[in-house]
């Protein structure tokens, strides 16, 4: 996958001060502003985790880099591919929860082009040309729902280790084994938890 992914959490009320078509440009302009310090070429490169901007809009958003992904959407894509191989071999209750979690984030699984997801995206624009590059959009209510799912799932994930090892392990690639799959999910858990703590939403963009 050649796509990149930048994952931001943002204050929905700050974005909501503007019409829908202007909200994504506002976030992008704030992110690209030199005053954030995020583009300091002399700063040591981050190897995953949170980056908090400085400057006039620094209180309104944050950026999360998934460790070891180099900003690529590839790991998220391959996590979804792995799950498709495992899901028929998972406990039905666990399968339903992980379907809902991944389907609310980066996995275009069956039945997830639903009204709620469309409403989240419509917060930014109704113009498909403008919304190009939006890979993930979770409004604050969706964030809270997905965090609750993650918190239920987290202690039960090890039940998927054996079916993952049997059906989805790939010695090469972004998601070679079960532990890398769980690390990626845990990163999303951190994003959801921080966004929920602040009452913010999530925006994943590809540049």
């Amino acid at each position: 996958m050649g796509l990149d992914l930048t994952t931001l959490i943002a204050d929905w009320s700050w974005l909501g001060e503007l019409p829908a078509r202007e909200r994504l440009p506002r976030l992008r302009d704030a992110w690209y502003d030199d005053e954030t310090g995020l583009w300091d070429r002399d700063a040591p490169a981050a190897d995953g985790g949170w980056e908090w901007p400085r400057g006039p809009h620094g209180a309104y958003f944050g950026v999360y880099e998934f460790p070891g992904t180099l900003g690529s959407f590839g790991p998220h894509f391959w996590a979804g591919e792995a799950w498709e191989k495992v899901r028929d071999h998972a406990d039905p209750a666990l399968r339903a929860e992980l379907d809902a979690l991944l389907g609310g984030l980066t996995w275009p699984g069956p039945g997830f082009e639903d009204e709620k997801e469309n409403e989240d995206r419509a917060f930014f624009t109704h113009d498909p040309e403008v919304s190009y590059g939006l890979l993930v959009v979770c409004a604050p209510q969706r964030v809270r729902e997905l965090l609750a799912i993650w918190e239920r799932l987290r202690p039960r994930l090890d039940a998927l280790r054996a079916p993952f090892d049997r059906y989805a392990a790939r010695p090469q690639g972004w998601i070679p084994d079960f532990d890398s799959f769980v690390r990626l999910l845990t990163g999303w858990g951190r994003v959801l938890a921080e966004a929920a703590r602040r009452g913010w939403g999530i925006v994943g963009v590809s540049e």
Side-chain angles (χ1 to χ4, degrees), residues 161-186:
R161 183 178 294 276
F164 193 101
D165 289 346
R166 180 171 181 180
Y167 298 105
R170 301 169 67 244
Q172 305 296 323
W174 285 110
I175 305 292
D177 53 34
F178 180 70
D179 290 334
S180 61
F181 180 72
V182 171
R183 278 195 296 273
L184 195 71
L185 291 181
T186 300

Side-chain angles (χ1 to χ4, degrees), residues 2-133:
L3 284 175
D4 61 291
L5 174 67
T6 299
T7 304
L8 303 101
I9 62 172
D11 184 338
W12 242 233
S13 62
W14 169 65
L15 295 173
E17 292 171 357
L18 299 179
R21 288 175 182 267
E22 299 176 28
R23 292 168 185 164
L24 185 58
R26 174 178 236 189
L27 180 58
R28 287 166 56 93
D29 289 348
W31 170 39
Y32 276 118
D33 192 325
D34 286 339
E35 291 187 67
T36 64
L38 298 176
W39 310 101
D40 184 354
R41 300 188 189 281
D42 295 326
D47 186 24
W50 288 106
E51 292 187 271
W52 299 105
R54 301 188 298 270
H57 304 300
Y60 299 116
F61 74 98
V63 184
Y64 185 79
E65 181 180 334
F66 287 82
T69 67
L70 304 176
S72 173
F73 182 71
H76 307 273
F77 172 82
W78 288 110
E81 292 287 292
W83 174 235
E84 289 186 9
K85 295 177 180 178
V86 173
R87 61 188 300 274
D88 287 344
H89 310 283
D91 173 82
L94 187 58
R95 178 171 63 239
E97 295 266 65
L98 200 43
D99 275 357
L101 179 68
L102 290 176
L105 294 168
T106 57
W107 177 55
F112 290 105
E113 294 298 324
D114 59 16
E115 184 178 349
K116 181 177 288 188
E117 184 176 24
N118 292 336
E119 287 177 356
D120 286 358
R121 289 179 179 271
F123 177 76
F124 287 100
T125 180
H126 295 277
D127 183 344
E129 292 185 5
V130 176
S131 64
Y132 177 80

